[in-house]
Amino acid sequence: MDPDAVIILDPVNGDVIESGLRKGIRTYAGGNCTVSLMLMAVSGLLKAGLVEWITTMTYQAASGGGAAKMLELVKQMGCLVDPLRAAPSENALEVDRMVIDAQRSASLPTEEFGAPLAGSLLAWVDKEMPGGQTREEWKGMAETNKIMGLNPPVPVDGICVRVGTMRCHSQGLCVKLKSDVPLNEIEALIAGGNPWVRVVPNDKASTLRSLTPTAVSGTLDVPIGRLHKLKLGPEFLGAFTVGDQLLWGAAEPLRRMLNILRRHLGAANEAQLVSSTERA
């Protein structure tokens, strides 16, 4: 959050990055994975100046916390399955009892998460912040506005939750628009935000096929679907989005920034060479 640093996500804030390079800023940092994925999905609406505020409820994968947490989730999954292998049953209530007993067992590995995640969820991600937020939730507003260079800032808040998926963060969004924009115009603005966002039709088959961590894992696509006006009023938009946080949320912006720097430094060196030649 240093004023002499730029949070990088060039499909969303290429203009902010270019401005930083012209100013001689030398710190270019990867952003929060959840924020980056949200912006890849809805940057078209923010750039159009249509957003009054956003509430995001997240479903964050174990890998967002690092490799050790991924491994612990798999170990927990094994602990839940082991009793069923030892005493197979077709009785759903009996299976349920065995799973709960395994989740509550002192032998379940919880050193990383502090609680069972397999077959469960944890409504707390990162450290405590003033006002009841966690640090992950605080980043929603702080990093969104810094990445996009928004002035006045757009309020962003919600609840961040860790769920028992290995990879990919999902988010349920409530977007308060500044006016009653027709849904077809909203979809067009979102689709035009960047080449990787994918608008998924709001029907069961499309949602189950395309709007899941299973479908998205390992790809750069950022699908957004369930787009519809909420009963709260015509200015309220509901949406659901998912993306691979190990890519757009981590590695891909850094990889792309290296290429931007190479082009920038190459152009600067070429300009310096031309200037030196002209003086000679």
Side-chain angles (χ1 to χ4, degrees):
M1 298 306 296
D2 191 294
D4 291 326
V6 173
I7 302 177
I8 54 171
L9 189 63
D10 70 281
V12 167
N13 72 339
D15 56 338
V16 175
I17 293 172
E18 292 297 332
S19 176
L21 290 170
R22 290 193 298 270
K23 293 176 182 176
I25 290 178
R26 299 178 63 83
T27 300
Y28 297 87
N32 174 263
C33 49
T34 315
V35 174
S36 295
L37 289 173
M38 180 187 72
L39 292 180
M40 288 295 293
V42 301
S43 61
L45 296 179
L46 287 162
K47 289 178 180 178
L50 294 177
V51 178
E52 186 173 323
W53 52 257
I54 301 174
T55 294
T56 173
M57 303 296 177
T58 73
Y59 308 81
Q60 297 180 219
S63 53
K69 288 181 170 55
M70 295 174 71
L71 296 175
E72 182 169 276
L73 175 60
V74 173
K75 292 175 183 177
Q76 288 187 1
M77 290 176 175
C79 290
L80 302 193
V81 174
D82 286 344
L84 306 182
R85 288 174 175 161
S89 174
E90 294 298 321
N91 186 312
L93 292 178
E94 178 65 17
V95 170
D96 179 57
R97 183 193 62 76
M98 286 191 284
V99 169
I100 292 175
D101 287 346
Q103 287 174 314
R104 294 173 177 173
S105 171
S107 64
L108 188 80
T110 60
E111 290 79 9
E112 289 295 326
F113 291 111
L117 179 62
S120 189
L121 57 81
L122 305 173
W124 191 281
V125 182
D126 212 331
K127 300 176 182 178
E128 184 176 359
M129 295 288 286
Q133 286 182 314
T134 65
R135 184 169 174 80
E136 188 78 1
E137 292 155 2
W138 170 84
K139 290 176 182 177
M141 181 169 176
E143 292 201 15
T144 290
N145 286 280
K146 184 174 176 65
I147 289 171
M148 298 288 295
L150 299 174
N151 188 24
V154 171
V156 180
D157 207 346
I159 303 294
C160 291
V161 180
R162 186 79 69 194
V163 297
T165 57
M166 285 293 286
R167 187 163 171 167
C168 297
H169 290 351
S170 307
Q171 303 179 61
L173 304 177
C174 174
V175 182
K176 173 62 165 60
L177 302 171
K178 294 180 180 178
S179 60
D180 179 11
V181 182
L183 193 58
N184 63 326
E185 293 183 19
I186 289 171
E187 292 177 345
L189 285 168
I190 289 174
N194 59 75
W196 294 273
V197 64
R198 302 283 184 266
V199 174
V200 177
N202 187 21
D203 62 69
K204 181 178 180 180
S206 299
T207 299
L208 296 183
R209 180 176 59 251
S210 304
L211 206 57
T212 68
T214 301
V216 173
S217 184
T219 78
L220 291 172
D221 290 346
V222 181
I224 178 170
R226 297 307 324 279
L227 288 161
H228 65 287
K229 296 296 186 74
L230 300 176
K231 298 301 182 183
L232 300 172
E235 298 87 13
F236 291 86
L237 176 70
F240 189 88
T241 183
V242 57
D244 192 330
Q245 95 289 349
L246 296 182
L247 298 178
W248 282 121
E252 184 65 8
L254 296 172
R255 185 191 71 82
R256 293 173 63 86
M257 187 64 209
L258 287 173
N259 287 328
I260 291 171
L261 284 172
R262 289 177 66 185
R263 291 194 298 269
H264 174 77
L265 293 173
N269 291 336
E270 183 177 347
Q272 185 177 17
L273 178 62
V274 170
S275 177
S276 298
T277 302
E278 289 176 347
R279 287 198 303 271

